[in-house]
Every structure is written in C-alpha cells, then in structure tokens.
C-alpha cells in the first residue's frame, strides 16, 4: 500500500471531522500552554529573585503535578469521544480491505499530527504569554519584574515530556480499542447506544449516605487544624457521592418521574425523561464531572480571592505593631529583667535613628497547651493531646493586666480573672490536675492584643494570676510534665509603632537584630526574636498572592475541562438525538414541540451540576472559614460576600458556556 496514503487518510479524517477535532486541538493547546506557564513561573530565576518569590514558587510547585494530572485526564476524555466518532470510519476501512495494522498506521499519523499542532501551538502560546504571567506575578508581590524575555529550559522539558507521554498513552489506548473490536462493531460503533440502566437504589442510597457524612463532617468540625484533614476526607466523599447520585440517583429519579403519570405523560416531559433515562449512565458521569470541577473552581477562587482581599487586615492582625521584640527565658526573674533589657536595646537603636516609640504594648506571659474537660484542665505530653479538647493556657500577672488595661483589680489567693478567646467557659472554678484550684473571680474582655491570637488554632484561656510566685509554680509544673525539650518558656514582649516609611522600618529591624546579636555573649540566657510588619508584608503577599495565582491557574484548567465536557456532551447527544427527533417528526410531533422538549431536557441536565455545586459550596463554607483562620483571616462577612459573589459570577459564566455549547446541539437536531 502507498506509504503516502496513511498521512492523507489521517489528514482527511481530521478535516472531515473538524467539528470535533478543532475543539480537541484548541483545548489541548490551552492545556499545554497552561502547564508551560505554571512550570515557567515555578523554575524561572527572575521570579525567584523577587521579594517573596521563593514562597510563591513553592506554592506554584504544588500546582505543577495537579495541572499535569488534569492535562492527561482531559486529553483522555477528549480522545474517547473522538474514537467513538471515528469507529464507523475505521470499520469501513476494515471492510474495504484495510487490516487493523493499516488502521493502526492511520491512527499513528493522526496522533502525530495532533501532537505536532498541540505542542507547537501550546508551547508557542505559553512562551509568548509567559512574560505576561511573570509581570502579573510581580504585580501580586508588589515587585518590579525583569524586562528580559527568556525561555525556561526546565519548563520546556517538562512540557515536552508530559505532552509526549499523554499522546503515547492515548495512542496505546486507541490501538487497544481497534485491536479488540470486530469489524462490524467498528462499523456500528458510533450508533451503539447504552442499554437503559436499572434504578440501582442501593447505590443511590449509598451516595446520599456518603454525601450526608461529608456534610456532617463539614458542619461539626470545630478545630481549624483538624479541618484540614477533614477537608480531604470530605472532598473524597463528595466526589464519590456525586458520581453515585448523578449516575444511579438520577436514573432512580427518572424511574420515579415515569411512575408519575400526570408528569410523565406530557409531551415534552415524556421525550426528555425517557431520553435521559436511556442514556443516564454516561450523562451522569459527565454531569458529576461538571459538578465537581465547578465546585473546585468556586472553592479555589473564593478562598484565594478572600485571602488576597483581606491580606492587609490579616497582616495587621498578625502584627499589630510596626516593630515587635520578644525574649524567651526559663526563669520568672529573668523575664522581668528582660523587659528592661529590651527597652534599653530598643532605645539605643531608635535614638541613633532619631525615632520614637509610640502606641507601645509590653507584657510578660507564660503559655502552654493542655486538655480541657469543662472546668478540669489536664497537662499531658503533646503526644497524648487530643485535638478536640486541646486548649492553650496563657498566664499573666495582675500587675501586667493592670498596666495593659489601666484598671485596678484585687485578687485573693487562688483567685484569677479569665478571658476566653475562640471558646466559652461557664462556671467559677478551674482545676489543673488537682495541683492548682483556681476560683474565677470574673470573666473580662479581650485585653492582650498580640499577634498570636491571629494564628491561634485552638481556644485560648487568658488567666490573670495574683503574682509572679503563682506563675513560677505553674512553670515548674508544666516543665516537670513536658520535660526540657517540650516545656514552654516565659515570654517577654514589646511592640510599638513608628512614624517612618517601610524602608526605614525594615532597616531598624536589621539594626535591632544586630544590636541583640552583639550582646548575645553577655546574655546567653535570652532567646530573642525581632519582627517588623513591613518585612513580613512580602511574606504575606507571596503567600496569598501565590495562592490566588495558583487558584486562578487551576480554575482556568478546570474551566477548560468544564467547557470541554459540556461541548462534547452536547455534540454526542446531538448526533444521537437527531435520528430520534426525525422519527418523532414523522409520527406527528411538530418542530415547536420538539424544541420545547429539547429545552426541557437540556435545562434540566445542565442546571443540576450548577445547583449541586452551590449546595456543596454552602456545606464546605464552615470548613473554609476555619482553614482561613489559620492564615489569620477571621472576617466572616468578607468570606460570605466573596463566596456569594464568586458563585453569581460563575453562574453567569456557566450560562454563557451552556449557551455557546448548546448551539452545536441545536444545529444537529434541528
């Protein structure tokens, strides 16, 4: 056989089926482009050299395997549809005398052509847009990007490897399909429908049970740290439940509707329900995929956008003062002396720079973890701590409390004042392992404005004790339980604001660190730490900006998948329904009635994933709120507004995608 025939047949096969191959090529080019851009930003030296660039690249590196996974999955999905459309053509070749080996050569040439267009177009677009992506990354980090245009070799290598791997796997799968099929099966492959599935009530009920379990976990999880693990468990449960409910539950629903004679025996309902029931196994999987991808887009965009919008508030909550100096000691008297030492060193640096402290906050405290059961507190090694009962105890003396609040209080022996943060307490007695019995004189409002509150993941009990002696006994007790390595230290903290710009603040932080380092030999008992709000700003920008950037990139990939599934679902159903509606016209059904039936079916089918993703998002909201608390964001109204706005915007975008893809369906069945 003429060797030039194979590439000609492959090329003509693509041209004749351009309605299905063009979306494949556009999507594959887009996916390859997205993967190159993610890889480029992950490995590019210019991004690394930006302030906060290391953190952003670390976050983006998480997205590289995720994008790679979905590139392979989406290419496989598209290829499965293309093979279904081409089986009739290959069957005809087989009957006319071409062996399966000859057909395999046609497939090989076809895959080479698709690969060449995908890699050239995807890499070309990725390289062209990579500089724009770098400029956007610099903007998010409040940096200046280099104007030099570079091609990242590592990103090119990874993109080539992934694309080659994807198309090799696709080719092997396609050859396997051709090898096991009989000629007559190939000839009628496109017309082969699926048998009407039975209503699998057990699987439908299992889906409801799994979904209910996921929702219950999301609503009842109280601890932010535990919420991270619960989120992964809930995601798995929701994915499995969505597939079960859309595949089996939708069939069961169709069966119930068919039993409702008043609903089912209406012309438009009869056609749409019977058609949905007949093909629901395949439809259900597609709809579940759309629902899961839509939920993923909404969760990523709403959470990352909320972090980005609220980053300044989170930053000031975590660092309430421009400059903060802390010293940890293992003796109460040392902690008291450390307060004077801090002020001396700070004043020495500020006077040299002609700066003055203002709005200062200073205190000594002791905090350690414990288990709480009502009014009983148990101090145990961290390995025995149960996350559901963990509480942080933070002790300050009465003198410190009065200095901070400007009030006067009196405490008798074993009396304390209590302030609960992220928790509640009822009663007036507190018992710590029968070693300390405290009477709670009263509960007071928040008084300790420290950045630790912003990152507190457990309820915190702020306890005002009468004197340093009580504090020392508490320290010795927790030290005896936790040991040298795990025991907490006394903390002496000083925070203050300054009237100077960001560069001056960062310079003062460096000078303070040097000042403490120069005196480290004479004060070896002090473990110091210096932080400035402005120096930490870039860490926040890189973290939140990186999360938003990754969220946008993954959302674009998921949108590719959503549009892709929508389009091919419409096309496949259009080809299948064209003959059916032609028969219905011949038996007396008007075009108007057919169009009404089509609208009823399509609207029902495509509204379901959007509504289901909205329900998933509502139940995921409590988990998202707790996870964002770990980043110092506790602004619930902001999260509600951003999440609701994201859903509305996505709903409009979803409607546009549905409208665009449905045109192909209408063109086939009209």
């Amino acid at each position: 056989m003429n060797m030039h025939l194979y590439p000609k047949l492959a090329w003509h096969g693509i041209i004749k089926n351009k309605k299905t191959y063009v979306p494949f090529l556009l999507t594959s080019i887009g996916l390859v482009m997205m993967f190159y851009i993610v890889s480029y930003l992950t490995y590019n030296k210019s991004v690394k050299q930006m302030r906060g660039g290391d953190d952003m690249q670390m976050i983006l590196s998480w997205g590289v395997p995720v994008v790679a996974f979905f590139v392979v999955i989406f290419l496989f999905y598209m290829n499965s549809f293309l093979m279904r459309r081409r089986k009739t053509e290959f069957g005809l070749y087989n009957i006319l005398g071409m062996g399966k080996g000859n057909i395999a050569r046609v497939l090989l040439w076809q895959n080479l052509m698709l690969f060449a267009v995908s890699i050239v177009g995807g890499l070309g677009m990725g390289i062209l847009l990579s500089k724009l992506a770098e400029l956007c990354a610099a903007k998010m980090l409040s940096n200046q990007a280099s104007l030099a245009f570079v091609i990242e070799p590592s990103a090119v290598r990874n993109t080539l490897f992934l694309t080659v791997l994807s198309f090799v796997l696709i080719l092997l799968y396609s050859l396997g399909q051709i090898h096991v099929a009989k000629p007559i099966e190939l000839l009628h492959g496109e017309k082969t429908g699926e048998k009407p599935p039975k209503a699998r009530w057990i699987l439908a009920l299992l889906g409801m049970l799994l979904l209910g379990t996921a929702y219950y976990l999301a609503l009842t999880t109280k601890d932010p740290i535990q919420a991270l693990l619960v989120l992964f468990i809930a995601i798995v449960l929701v994915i499995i439940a969505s597939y079960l409910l859309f595949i089996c539950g939708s069939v069961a629903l169709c069966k119930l509707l068919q039993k409702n004679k008043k609903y089912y025996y209406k012309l438009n309902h009869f056609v749409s329900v019977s058609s949905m029931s007949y093909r629901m196994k395949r439809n259900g999987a597609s709809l579940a995929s759309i629902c899961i991808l839509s939920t993923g887009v909404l969760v990523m965009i709403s959470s990352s956008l909320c972090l980005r919008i609220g980053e300044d508030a989170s930053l000031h909550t975590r660092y309430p003062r421009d400059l903060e100096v802390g010293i940890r000691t293992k003796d109460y008297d040392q902690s008291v002396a450390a307060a004077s030492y801090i002020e001396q060193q700070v004043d020495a640096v500020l006077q040299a720079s002609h700066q003055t402290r203002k709005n200062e906050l200073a205190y000594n405290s002791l905090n350690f973890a414990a288990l709480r059961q009502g009014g009983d507190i148990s101090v145990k090694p961290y390995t025995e701590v149960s996350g559901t009962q963990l509480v942080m105890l933070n002790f300050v003396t009465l003198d410190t409390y009065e200095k901070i609040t400007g009030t006067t209080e009196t405490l008798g022996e074993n009396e304390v004042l209590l302030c609960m943060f992220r928790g509640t307490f009822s009663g007036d007695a507190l018992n710590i392992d029968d070693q300390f019995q405290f009477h709670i004189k009263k509960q007071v409002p928040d008084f300790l404005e420290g950045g630790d509150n912003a990152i507190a993941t457990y309820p915190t009990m702020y306890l005002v004790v009468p004197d340093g002696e009580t504090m020392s006994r508490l320290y010795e007790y927790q030290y005896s339980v936790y040991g040298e390595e795990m025991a907490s230290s006394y903390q002496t903290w000083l925070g203050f604001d300054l009237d100077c710009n960001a560069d001056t603040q960062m310079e003062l932080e460096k000078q303070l660190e040097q000042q403490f380092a120069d005196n480290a030999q004479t004060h070896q008992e002090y473990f110091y730490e210096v932080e400035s709000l402005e120096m930490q700003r870039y860490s926040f920008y890189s973290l939140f900006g990186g999360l938003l950037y990754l969220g946008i990139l993954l959302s674009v990939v998921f949108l590719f998948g959503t549009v892709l599934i929508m389009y091919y679902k419409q096309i496949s159903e259009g080809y299948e329904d064209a003959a059916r509606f032609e028969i219905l016209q011949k038996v007396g059904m008007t075009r108007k009635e057919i169009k009404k039936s089509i609208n009823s079916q399509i609207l029902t089918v495509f509204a379901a994933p959007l509504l289901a993703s909205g329900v998933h998002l509502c139940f995921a909201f409590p988990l998202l709120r707790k996870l964002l608390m770990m980043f110092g964001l506790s602004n619930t109204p902001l999260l509600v507004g951003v999440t609701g706005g994201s859903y509305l915007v996505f709903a409009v975008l979803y409607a546009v995608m549905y409208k665009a893809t449905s045109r192909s369906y209408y063109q086939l069945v009209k």
Side-chain angles (χ1 to χ4, degrees), residues 308-323:
R308 181 65 176 178
I309 294 174
E311 65 184 357
D312 281 333
S314 299
L315 176 64
H316 284 85
T317 301
R318 176 64 184 88
Y319 300 97
R321 300 295 191 274
D322 291 340
L323 270 171

Side-chain angles (χ1 to χ4, degrees), residues 367-368 382 475 478-480 482-489:
N367 61 78
F368 53 85
Y382 288 4
Y475 171 82
Q478 62 92 27
Y479 184 89
S480 67
Y482 292 139
E484 175 70 26
E485 294 183 358
M486 301 300 294
S488 296
S489 303

Side-chain angles (χ1 to χ4, degrees), residues 537-578:
R537 184 183 297 277
Y538 290 100
S539 296
F540 271 65
Y541 284 175
S542 60
L543 175 61
F544 296 161
L547 289 172
L548 177 59
Y549 211 115
L550 181 60
I552 292 173
L553 292 175
L554 292 180
S555 296
V556 172
V557 173
F558 286 3
L559 284 174
F560 270 127
T562 303
V563 175
L564 175 73
I565 294 172
M566 276 188 175
Y567 178 80
Y568 281 129
K569 185 177 182 302
Q570 299 275 34
I571 290 291
S572 61
E573 292 185 3
Y575 280 115
E576 292 174 359
D577 289 345

Side-chain angles (χ1 to χ4, degrees), residues 143-403:
N143 275 255
Q144 295 292 327
S146 169
L147 296 179
F149 185 87
V150 297
I151 298 175
E152 185 60 45
S154 299
V156 174
R157 183 191 65 239
N158 291 349
T159 306
L160 282 171
F161 175 77
L162 177 68
T163 311
V164 169
L165 176 65
S166 300
F167 276 89
V168 167
L169 292 175
I170 286 172
L171 177 61
L172 293 175
Y173 174 78
S174 301
L175 292 176
Q177 291 282 299
I178 297 297
H179 178 73
V180 299
K182 297 178 181 178
I184 194 66
E185 291 176 350
L186 289 173
L187 188 63
H188 297 288
E190 184 183 341
K191 297 180 181 179
T192 302
E194 296 186 40
K195 297 180 180 179
K198 298 179 181 180
R200 300 176 182 176
W201 295 102
I202 295 179
L203 292 178
L205 291 174
L206 177 61
M208 294 180 64
L209 178 63
L210 293 176
L211 190 63
T213 302
Y215 288 168
Y216 174 79
L217 290 174
L219 293 176
T220 57
T221 301
K222 303 298 183 183
D223 173 56
I225 294 292
Q226 194 179 31
L228 187 60
L229 175 61
V230 171
L231 178 65
F232 287 110
I233 297 173
I235 288 173
V236 174
L237 292 178
V238 167
I239 290 174
I240 297 173
S242 296
Y243 276 102
L244 288 176
L245 290 175
F246 272 101
I247 294 173
C248 303
S250 56
V251 174
L253 178 61
C254 288
K255 296 297 183 183
L256 289 176
L257 292 176
Q258 287 176 332
K259 292 181 180 180
N260 187 340
K261 296 182 179 181
K262 292 183 179 180
Y263 177 86
Y264 182 59
Y265 289 106
K266 290 183 179 179
L267 191 57
N268 58 325
H269 294 164
F270 177 83
V271 175
S272 61
V273 172
S274 59
S275 178
M276 287 169 61
S277 176
Y278 185 79
R279 298 191 311 267
M280 193 47 71
K281 182 179 181 180
R282 187 172 64 256
N283 285 351
S286 300
L287 294 175
S289 300
I290 293 173
C291 173
I292 292 166
L293 291 174
S294 300
T295 306
V297 170
L298 289 167
V299 169
M300 287 186 296
I301 285 295
S302 58
S303 57
S304 59
L305 186 59
C306 190
L307 284 172
R308 181 65 176 178
I309 294 174
E311 65 184 357
D312 281 333
S314 299
L315 176 64
H316 284 85
T317 301
R318 176 64 184 88
Y319 300 97
R321 300 295 191 274
D322 291 340
L323 270 171
E324 301 176 359
V325 181
I327 286 182
R328 291 180 289 114
T329 61
K330 298 183 178 181
D331 181 85
Y332 178 73
D333 292 333
Q334 287 179 348
S335 72
V336 174
S340 299
Y341 174 73
I342 289 176
E343 291 191 2
Q344 291 172 4
Q345 304 306 313
V346 167
D347 287 341
V349 171
L350 294 184
Q351 287 173 8
S353 303
H354 306 290
Q355 298 292 330
T356 305
R357 289 184 279 154
K358 67 174 189 176
N359 191 30
E360 67 179 49
L361 175 64
Y363 62 85
N364 295 6
S365 67
L366 169 68
N367 61 78
F368 53 85
L371 295 176
R372 175 192 166 194
Q373 187 68 41
D376 293 324
I377 302 295
S378 178
V379 180
K380 290 185 177 180
Y382 288 4
T383 54
E384 301 179 24
V385 168
S386 170
T388 56
Q389 298 174 307
L390 190 63
V391 65
M392 295 300 296
L393 303 178
N394 198 322
F395 298 92
V396 298
T397 62
L398 181 60
D399 290 342
T400 300
Y401 174 78
E402 291 178 336
K403 180 181 177 181

